[in-house]
Amino acid sequence: MPMVSMRQLLDEAAKGGYGVGAFNVNNMEQIQAIMEAARETKSPVIIQASRGARTYTNDRFLYHLMLAATEVYPEIPVALHQDHGNSPATCKSAIEMGFTSVMMDGSLMEDGKTPSTFDYNIRVTREVVELAHEKGVTVEGELGTLGGIEDGHGAGGDPMAHLTDPDQAVEFVERTGIDALAVAIGTSHGAYKFSKKPTGEVLVMKRIEEIHTKLPTTHLVMHGSSSVPQDLQDVINKYGGKMKPTFGVPVEEIQKGIQHGVRKINVDTDNRMAMTGAIRKVFAEKPEAFDPRDYLKPARDAMKEVVKKRMVAFGQAGHAGDYTPIPLAEMAKFYKRQLVNA
Ligand code: G3H
Ligand code: 13P
Ligand code: ZN
């Protein structure tokens, strides 16, 4: 089947009361790992590319790999999403290339670092909603900012400094017309989120409940949702890595979020760790190996296992065949009707 809009995946997830993992990719092996995990668990899925991923792949390669994915896995509904678009121009180029969903992250200025104003955020996000919905493409916005900056995107510093304000969230959704809202609840991108197992003081799941009460029909998005499992840290460190002790977002906390309107869950770091651990193991145990397939295949398998676990935990497993995909042209008509009726 052709790639589908993220909106349709999230609408279906809301009906079924489950969440959908959005996994970052930069190469063929990662796309294959996700699609294979989706086939084995019968899951709809979101595949997302950051600006860095688009540059790394020269995004035409990425796009054509995704077309191959839809040919090889025709039974899997998959959306291709621009992660953390930093400007309307970035989102526009993604839409022109064939992405079925974009994130306009106007919580930060175009540099991807400086927190923006509420008015700026509304202006750029609204601009993207207008150009995306005309083509049936989904839009995710963000209000509040995440901590951490190690992955090249984020406000840095204290993740508690800019949590999403529930009342502002209502105004933001109304004035922008977005399909999904990324919220800041104390998480950060990357591996170093928390120095001990997070409590409600630092991972403010309560904020999700408050936002969901005020915006019961808005799809909520959790960024920085890697769990940074101890076993993956151990494999990396056992084979010569140097990860410092750290804690991520426990899967059971994400599951609580899903009960309160979280429909999209962003995971990148866990998959990076799974691949790195598997590659380190091959290098340590078979120093004579030099065929990239000798280490990329175990890396792909290790990532597939992590993705499968997340698909089961988020509840998307088993739902791939539940619905008929809606073409983007139909989605565009849906948005047009919404405007007329507004
Ligand atoms: O937003 C963060 C994702 O993990 C993507 O990271 O910008 O290094 O590709 P990246
Ligand atoms: P992690 O670094 O926790 O995997 O978060 C990824 C993310 O939010 C991508 O947008
Ligand atoms: Zn993110």
Side-chain angles (χ1 to χ4, degrees), residues 90-137:
T90 297
C91 296
K92 189 165 181 275
S93 73
I95 294 166
E96 282 164 358
M97 174 146 298
F99 282 57
T100 61
S101 179
V102 292
M103 175 183 193
M104 175 62 236
D105 184 356
S107 71
L108 301 174
M109 299 301 288
E110 201 167 330
D111 65 5
K113 293 177 176 51
T114 315
S116 67
T117 63
F118 187 54
D119 284 345
Y120 169 89
N121 195 355
I122 289 185
R123 180 167 54 77
V124 288
T125 307
R126 178 74 218 162
E127 188 180 330
V128 171
V129 166
E130 277 166 19
L131 63 98
H133 282 183
E134 205 186 307
K135 309 260 185 250
V137 170

Side-chain angles (χ1 to χ4, degrees), residues 24-26 48-53 83-84 150-153 189-190 223 266-269 272:
N24 289 74
V25 296
N26 295 275
Q48 58 187 9
S50 66
R51 276 189 298 140
D83 191 23
H84 292 287
E150 63 188 314
D151 288 346
H153 195 100
H189 288 124
H223 281 246
N266 284 16
V267 175
D268 186 0
T269 298
R272 292 177 175 191

Side-chain angles (χ1 to χ4, degrees), residues 275-291:
M275 293 187 92
T276 300
I279 290 172
R280 279 192 172 281
K281 185 167 189 287
V282 174
F283 285 172
E285 290 178 346
K286 293 189 198 158
E288 71 288 358
F290 57 83
D291 181 339

